[in-house]
């Protein structure tokens, strides 16, 4: 047995951890993970990785959210992974389910049409609930109200590099509001009328448009058409004061009233991205090159000089999605350099 193995490092040699706890200033921040009970194994893998690569040294708390109660097994298998505080919350019904104001016959027709077109999640109501929740409600959950900053994590994502500084504190000090690692084109068929409604909102509320905004990243004809570029929101580090503020509150309410979360299949990614592009200035949007991140099927691998080595990254730097034809990264780079 192990005990009899002569060189097995028993106390005082064993029992070490390689944690060097960072006790510097911390932001008022949390991780947030939306998950179902059957997402447990994927959630365990994601938390294990973010702990290894970052949070075992920073100990930011976690908030898990679900429209159903989390099982005791879910709670114990997640809590065992970290020394941080972990809270598990149930989502209020009004924040999740299709509102009565939605014409179900019209919504059903929209789902059937999208399913026929083989659009991913085209026929799913629960996916639409999720997108609407992530667009307008996660930051209103009682467990989230005490925090200003959040880092969104999903089950089964990968963090490929050591994160050797505090991205929350970086965001706060640099006065950023939104950040991303991957940017790409949205499926037009999921948002046929979204841009028109966005432009209607802009006409109604010109006072909310930031002076040095990023409209130019998404439109080359001053808003007449949308090029479908958006930030992939399964990774987000952002400021909830932005979502809780007057511009986004009015924007979400306006979009929600149009019903497109159900009649179409508006994603939280284009909704968040368009809001960040319009209501924040371009220097408030941060691209985190040094955070190696993977959400199937795409990976962002650091390209900045020395970043891959410094982060001891496990991703292939030649296969970063940044160089893919479906990525909007080159458009962002050109936009930022203007
Ligand atoms: P995709 O990334 O667009 O393919 O969508 P996902 O299936 O990954 O869902 C996005 C996030 O929402 C993930 O964190 C999922 O665990 C979570 N999610 C999706 N649908 C539901 C649902 O019906 N209930 C709950 N509680 N979480 C969900
Ligand atoms: Mn996902």
């Amino acid at each position: 047995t192990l005990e009899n193995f002569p060189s097995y490092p028993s106390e005082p040699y064993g029992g070490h951890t390689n944690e060097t706890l960072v006790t510097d200033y911390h932001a008022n921040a949390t991780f947030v993970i939306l998950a179902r009970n059957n997402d447990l194994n994927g959630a365990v893998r994601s938390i294990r990785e973010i702990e290894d690569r970052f949070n075992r040294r920073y100990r930011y708390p976690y908030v898990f959210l679900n429209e159903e109660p989390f099982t005791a097994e879910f709670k114990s298998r997640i809590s065992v992974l970290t020394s941080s505080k972990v809270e598990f919350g149930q989502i209020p019904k009004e924040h999740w389910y299709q509102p009565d104001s939605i014409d179900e016959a019209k919504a059903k027709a929209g789902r059937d049409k999208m399913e026929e077109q083989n659009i991913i999640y085209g026929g799913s109501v629960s996916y639409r609930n999720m997108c609407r929740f992530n667009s307008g409600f996660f930051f209103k959950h009682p467990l989230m109200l005490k925090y200003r900053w959040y880092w969104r994590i999903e089950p089964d994502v990968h963090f490929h590099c050591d994160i050797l500084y505090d991205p929350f504190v970086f965001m706060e000090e640099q006065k950023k509001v939104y950040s991303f690692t991957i940017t790409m084109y949205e499926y037009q068929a999921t948002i046929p009328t979204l841009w028109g409604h966005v432009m209607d909102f802009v006409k109604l509320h010109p006072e909310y448009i930031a002076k040095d905004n990023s409209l130019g990243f998404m439109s080359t004809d001053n808003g007449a058409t949308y090029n479908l570029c958006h930030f992939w929101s399964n990774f987000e580090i952002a400021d909830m004061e932005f979502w809780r503020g007057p511009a986004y509150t009015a924007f979400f309410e306006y979009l929600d009233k149009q019903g497109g979360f159900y009649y179409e299949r508006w994603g939280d990614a284009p909704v968040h991205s368009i809001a960040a592009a319009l209501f924040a200035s371009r220097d408030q949007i941060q691209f985190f090159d040094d955070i190696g991140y993977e959400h199937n099927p795409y990976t962002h691998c650091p390209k900045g000089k020395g970043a891959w080595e410094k982060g001891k990254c496990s991703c292939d730097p030649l296969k970063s999605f940044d160089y893919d034809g479906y990525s909007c990264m080159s458009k962002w780079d050109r936009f930022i350099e203007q």
Side-chain angles (χ1 to χ4, degrees), residues 208 218 242-243 248 251 269-280 285:
Y208 291 141
M218 299 183 166
F242 182 70
W243 307 131
Y248 189 76
F251 182 66
V271 170
H272 280 187
S273 302
I274 292 168
L278 294 177
F279 312 137
I285 300 177

Side-chain angles (χ1 to χ4, degrees), residues 33-36 39 65-68 91 96 120-121 126-127 130 134 152-155 234 295:
I33 304 97
L34 177 69
R36 292 154 291 212
D39 290 321
L65 299 176
N66 186 355
E67 83 279 16
E68 289 179 0
I91 296 164
W96 186 265
I120 187 167
Y121 308 114
S126 68
Y127 192 83
M130 180 276 287
N134 276 328
R152 176 172 161 185
I153 291 187
E154 285 197 1
N234 48 68
H295 175 297

